[in-house]
Amino acid sequence: MRFAQPWPRHEPVLTLAERREMQELLNRKGFSIRASRTAGWGPKSRAAVRDYQASVGLVPDGFASATILARLRGR
């Protein structure tokens, strides 16, 4: 199996608060995770990240990175 892109070694790991913020921002932008923010980070959250990535022309790998969070924040 081939990966779509190299592992993002340069990306810092998101904190729990940052993951929850990402879920909230994804929901606000219409990429519903169909679960409560307290449910944790699972397949629905990864699918929402993939859908967002695809919508902005990024490789849809579902990786919740600081770069994706910054884009969701509008930075």
Side-chain angles (χ1 to χ4, degrees):
M1 177 197 317
R2 296 185 57 115
F3 291 103
Q5 61 186 9
W7 186 258
R9 296 186 200 304
H10 63 282
E11 289 283 353
V13 176
L14 297 180
T15 65
L16 177 60
E18 289 171 326
R19 288 189 305 245
R20 287 183 175 161
E21 179 186 3
M22 182 176 283
Q23 288 173 320
E24 185 176 317
L25 292 169
L26 286 165
N27 273 322
R28 282 191 208 163
K29 293 184 180 288
F31 300 95
S32 176
I33 59 169
R34 299 178 304 278
S36 71
R37 288 182 337 132
T38 59
W41 193 269
K44 292 177 182 177
S45 296
R46 284 189 295 278
V49 171
R50 277 193 303 273
D51 291 345
Y52 171 75
Q53 289 170 316
S55 77
V56 295
L58 299 173
V59 175
D61 59 11
F63 184 76
S65 68
T67 301
I68 298 298
L69 181 57
R71 286 185 77 136
L72 286 164
R73 287 173 175 161
R75 297 181 190 150

